[in-house]
């Protein structure tokens, strides 16, 4: 890590391929922020990015609705897919309210995110807290080894301390590690993928890389497909430098595709077509 052992995230930024991914993301983000429409209508771009990011995260969780269905729907209390989409929309709305808390108490934020995602769909005593020994996990997309409750507690605490201490690692690296760790741990009984992708968004916004939240990585994760997402995640869980670098690069491509989506929205607004 870093320059010092106290910053274990920072050395990940020098893994093969990661500096290029970081540089590519930074340039892409700079381009969309420099778009003339962003200077006049950034609130509209932010709102549209939130909707499209929500759709992408839901798609990875098995609710692959088209954008217009997500846009027009108001009742999410029905079948399973509707509940998933509703959960993601609630998480997206909540994320912006938690930015100031994240750096001081990331575990509190994660608990809140799970509470919001569950929305009454899980037993009350299982909501908003890491799972206990023997409690099941509903996360069908991820089939990696499930850490036991003690390992979850220890690794969550370690991740929390890294965030609170701060890091010299690029925002992309930190966001990818937070995302990957939460997927690997699956600390809650449900909605772990949704929470992990929301936490990634919080890091990207709070780091200053994407302060207006117009670069939805969830769009890119969905566009690359569930198989690519799982394969990249398996690289992360391998713990090898190559596997971790591949996961970070995958997250970088996802941000880049999110940038492309918002750039297209900017262009449409500029033409008066949206």
């Amino acid at each position: 890590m870093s320059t010092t052992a106290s910053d274990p995230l920072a050395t990940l930024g020098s893994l093969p391929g990661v500096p290029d991914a970081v540089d590519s993301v930074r340039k892409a983000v700079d381009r969309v922020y420099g778009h003339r429409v962003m200077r006049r209508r950034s609130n509209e771009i932010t709102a549209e990015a939130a909707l499209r990011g929500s759709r992408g995260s839901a798609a990875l969780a098995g609710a692959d609705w088209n954008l217009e269905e997500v846009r027009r729907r108001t009742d999410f209390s029905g079948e399973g897919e509707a509940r998933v989409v509703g959960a993601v929309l609630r998480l997206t709305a909540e994320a912006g309210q938690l930015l100031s808390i994240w750096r001081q108490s990331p575990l509190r934020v994660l608990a809140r995110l799970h509470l919001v995602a569950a929305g009454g769909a899980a037993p009350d005593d299982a909501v908003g807290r890491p799972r206990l020994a023997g409690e099941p996990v509903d996360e069908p997309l991820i089939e990696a080894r499930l850490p036991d409750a003690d390992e979850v507690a220890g690794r969550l605490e370690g991740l929390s301390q890294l965030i609170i201490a701060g890091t010299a690692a690029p925002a992309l690296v930190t966001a990818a590690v937070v995302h990957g760790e939460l997927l690997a741990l699956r600390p809650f009984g449900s909605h772990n993928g949704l929470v992990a992708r929301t936490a990634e968004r919080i890091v990207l916004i709070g780091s200053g890389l994407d302060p207006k939240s117009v670069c939805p990585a969830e769009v890119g994760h969905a566009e690359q497909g569930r198989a690519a997402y799982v394969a990249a995640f398996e690289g992360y869980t391998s713990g090898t430098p190559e596997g971790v670098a591949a996961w970070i690069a995958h997250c970088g491509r996802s941000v880049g595709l999110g940038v492309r989506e918002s750039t297209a929205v900017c262009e449409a607004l500029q033409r008066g077509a949206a």
Side-chain angles (χ1 to χ4, degrees):
M1 306 264 118
S2 98
T3 49
T4 74
S6 64
D7 187 3
L9 291 179
T11 54
L12 299 180
S14 62
L15 290 175
V18 172
D20 288 342
V22 169
D23 185 56
S24 177
V25 165
R26 178 74 269 173
K27 288 177 178 176
V29 172
D30 285 347
R31 283 195 298 273
V32 73
Y33 271 82
H35 196 287
R36 61 184 299 178
V37 171
M38 275 292 296
R39 294 194 291 272
R40 297 181 286 109
R41 304 175 70 174
S42 64
N43 288 344
E44 293 172 71
I45 309 302
T46 295
E48 190 64 20
L51 188 71
R52 294 177 185 225
S54 296
R55 195 217 72 81
S57 189
L60 286 172
D64 193 2
W65 291 13
N66 65 58
L67 185 63
E68 292 313 311
E69 176 67 8
V70 178
R71 196 188 303 279
R72 73 162 191 85
R73 188 75 168 259
T74 57
D75 179 13
F76 299 97
S77 62
E79 74 276 10
E81 289 191 4
R83 288 187 178 275
V84 170
V85 176
V88 183
L89 290 171
R90 290 192 301 271
L91 284 169
T92 300
E94 188 76 9
Q97 311 303 314
L98 299 172
L99 292 170
S100 62
I101 304 172
W102 175 254
R103 284 293 300 272
Q104 285 73 44
S105 185
L107 297 184
R108 179 181 162 196
V109 169
L110 294 175
R112 175 62 185 169
L113 290 176
H114 186 246
L115 182 67
V116 168
D124 287 347
D125 64 352
V127 173
R129 63 156 174 79
R131 55 188 166 83
L132 303 177
E135 290 185 335
V137 173
D138 179 15
E139 200 67 48
L141 179 61
I142 303 300
E143 298 179 353
R145 180 188 72 85
L146 188 67
D148 64 29
D150 288 341
E151 182 178 350
V152 168
R155 286 172 63 178
L156 275 180
E157 181 60 29
L159 182 64
S160 174
Q161 290 306 314
L162 284 174
I163 293 165
I164 291 169
T167 176
L172 173 64
V173 171
T174 304
V177 169
V178 167
H179 185 169
E181 274 296 285
L182 293 175
L183 277 185
L185 295 177
R186 281 148 287 162
F188 304 109
S190 62
H191 302 97
N192 290 289
L194 304 186
V195 169
R197 291 186 287 276
T198 304
E200 178 185 47
R201 172 186 285 264
I202 288 172
V203 173
L204 293 172
I205 299 169
S207 67
L209 177 65
D210 180 23
K212 294 183 183 294
S213 191
V214 297
C215 308
E218 304 96 322
V219 166
H221 288 306
E223 186 170 332
Q224 293 185 82
R226 298 177 86 189
Y229 183 73
V230 171
F233 169 67
E234 288 173 350
Y236 178 82
T237 58
S238 74
T240 66
E242 296 80 8
V244 173
W247 169 250
I248 295 170
H250 178 88
C251 292
R253 287 190 295 275
S254 296
V255 175
L257 289 168
V259 167
R260 189 180 71 180
E261 189 89 351
S262 287
T263 300
V265 173
C266 286
E267 296 293 332
L269 288 171
Q270 186 166 283
R271 292 192 304 268

